[in-house]
Amino acid sequence: MIVNFDFSKRKAPLIVAEISANHNGSLQNVFDLIRLAKLNGADAVKIQTYTPDTITLNSHQEDFMIKEGPWSGRSLYDLYLEAHTPWDWHPAIFAYAKEVGIQLFSSPFDLTAVDFLEELECPVYKVASCEIVDVELVSRIAQTGKPIIISTGMASLDDIALVIETVRRVGSNQIVLLKCVSAYPAPIEECNLLTLVDMQNRFGVPVGLSDHTLDNVAAIVATSLGAVMVEKHFTLSRSGNGPDDKFSMEPRDLKELTSQTKLAFSSIGRAQYEVTDSESANLRFRRSLYFVKDLKKGEVITNRSIKSVRPGFGLHPKFKDDVVGRRVACDVSYGEPVDNKKILFDEG
């Protein structure tokens, strides 16, 4: 079970609003995002726990410079200095989420972050896509015994197999794998959502989507393919100047995401071939056999005497060949339904 969500029972996907760097340097923004996440239907909110020194080196050498994408030209250290959520905010953030009544959890990016989050009784951990290869970090997270959500952006099949093996070796099996394209924003044509089905079959764990696309199409499709969770970045406004604002969803987008994934889930249902309640009134409009010619008792029914038309109060059209050549048992008029009482089946 993850954040009060039992994956053994079929439900609409858990919706996780990822705050990431969208606090834009303000603790009040974090509070506003948590409140708006709850108001607009999110099931949980996620933050990130790191400092620039726990995630990279303070270097402007070429290896540490970002050369493309939304953060092109910046060093990793400078980006993470701006983007990180200060650790001294964390207790207030967890307390506010509890007050609002929404689950909050985090992605730790090093061992000290795990220890810190354990002090705050973080209920769930997320392994970010870039950290999936950090076996030591994954092992430490698994040792907490808490459920683990793992993003698989950029991961090979071997990478995913290794992280699953690492978690299970420690003795934990509360795992959710998230299909992810680590691009900001992600092109929808690169989502390859059938991977969800394959991952579930290969590894036997629930699967979901970490969605960096700009609309809800991928999330809706993922819902139809069995996703138990959808995570998207969440901001107060895409027009903000923060590092993640432009590819994040706004409150109105979150509201649409929650409602659309629920609708998508409700449409899945089960394999069924019976008439539904809403269809039953329209059965009368199906085709059936009707007389299209006046006939006297004893006259022979020909192809020109009957026709398959709407509505459906006559015999099924499949009986047409059985009826043609028979005689009518009584006078019939144009527009009467063909039924067994009007036909002589016993010619003897």
Side-chain angles (χ1 to χ4, degrees):
M1 183 180 292
I2 292 179
V3 284
N4 298 325
F5 197 86
D6 187 352
F7 294 125
S8 67
K9 300 176 182 177
R10 294 184 65 200
K11 295 181 181 178
L14 185 82
I15 303 298
V16 179
E18 162 69 271
I19 292 178
S20 63
N22 289 326
H23 53 73
N24 293 346
S26 165
L27 178 58
Q28 184 59 51
N29 284 348
V30 179
F31 293 161
D32 290 343
L33 285 165
I34 291 172
R35 176 178 53 81
L36 288 168
K38 173 70 174 180
L39 184 64
N40 288 284
D43 298 290
V45 176
K46 192 182 82 67
I47 59 175
Q48 299 178 357
T49 305
Y50 65 88
T51 70
D53 292 299
T54 65
I55 200 170
T56 191
L57 303 180
N58 188 2
S59 173
H60 284 74
Q61 295 181 50
E62 186 176 356
D63 284 358
F64 295 87
M65 300 301 296
I66 304 170
K67 299 179 177 62
E68 56 190 23
W71 310 300
S72 179
R74 305 186 66 176
S75 74
L76 291 174
Y77 193 92
D78 289 343
L79 173 64
Y80 299 138
L81 183 62
E82 176 188 0
H84 83 288
T85 302
W87 288 25
D88 57 0
W89 291 3
H90 278 54
I93 292 171
F94 273 89
Y96 186 75
K98 186 175 182 180
E99 178 184 330
V100 168
I102 190 169
Q103 283 278 9
L104 183 136
F105 62 99
S106 185
S107 296
F109 287 78
D110 83 318
L111 304 184
T112 64
V114 180
D115 294 340
F116 176 59
L117 289 168
E118 279 293 279
E119 293 175 4
L120 297 173
E121 299 181 347
C122 183
V124 180
Y125 290 106
K126 164 83 181 294
V127 177
S129 290
C130 288
E131 276 59 47
I132 195 172
V133 294
D134 191 335
V135 176
E136 184 181 24
L137 174 60
V138 172
S139 294
R140 176 66 187 95
I141 293 172
Q143 287 167 7
T144 68
K146 307 285 181 62
I148 303 174
I149 302 165
I150 303 170
S151 268
T152 60
M154 303 172 291
S156 67
L157 194 55
D158 286 345
D159 290 332
I160 300 172
L162 177 59
V163 75
I164 293 287
E165 178 188 347
T166 301
V167 173
R168 286 175 172 165
R169 188 187 310 122
V170 174
S172 175
N173 199 35
Q174 296 184 83
I175 303 167
V176 175
L177 286 177
L178 300 186
K179 179 70 178 74
C180 178
V181 178
S182 293
Y184 308 91
I188 195 164
E189 64 271 17
E190 293 185 7
C191 286
N192 293 311
L193 293 175
L194 281 176
T195 310
L196 289 167
V197 179
D198 190 71
M199 286 197 304
Q200 188 170 34
N201 290 338
R202 284 178 185 271
F203 301 109
V205 298
V207 295
L209 178 67
S210 178
D211 185 11
H212 297 148
T213 63
L214 293 177
D215 57 34
N216 294 332
V217 174
I220 292 168
V221 174
T223 300
S224 72
L225 293 172
V228 300
M229 178 181 299
V230 173
E231 174 194 86
K232 284 182 80 81
H233 285 246
F234 182 48
T235 186
L236 296 175
S237 172
R238 276 194 182 138
S239 61
N241 294 318
D244 291 354
D245 282 321
K246 286 183 172 55
F247 59 84
S248 299
M249 61 179 174
E250 296 177 333
R252 61 186 176 186
D253 303 317
L254 174 58
K255 187 173 184 177
E256 290 179 0
L257 175 67
T258 57
S259 63
Q260 289 175 356
T261 51
K262 286 177 181 176
L263 283 172
F265 180 79
S266 69
S267 75
I268 297 170
R270 60 182 176 83
Q272 70 87 27
Y273 301 96
E274 305 86 18
V275 176
T276 65
D277 291 342
S278 63
E279 290 178 315
S280 58
N282 290 324
L283 280 171
R284 60 177 302 205
F285 299 120
R286 300 211 308 177
R287 285 180 176 258
S288 67
L289 297 178
Y290 270 75
F291 289 104
V292 292
K293 184 179 179 182
D294 295 342
L295 296 175
K296 294 295 185 181
K297 178 179 177 180
E299 283 194 72
V300 175
I301 302 169
T302 67
N303 271 315
R304 294 184 178 183
S305 305
I306 59 173
K307 187 176 182 179
S308 171
V309 295
R310 298 184 182 187
F313 298 111
L315 286 177
H316 193 289
K318 69 181 179 180
F319 295 116
K320 184 177 181 181
D321 289 343
D322 295 329
V323 171
V324 170
R326 303 289 182 179
R327 298 178 184 274
V328 290
C330 58
D331 292 352
V332 296
S333 301
Y334 175 91
E336 286 187 36
V338 177
D339 62 46
N340 289 334
K341 293 180 181 179
K342 299 170 184 172
I343 303 166
L344 291 174
F345 286 101
D346 182 5
E347 299 293 342

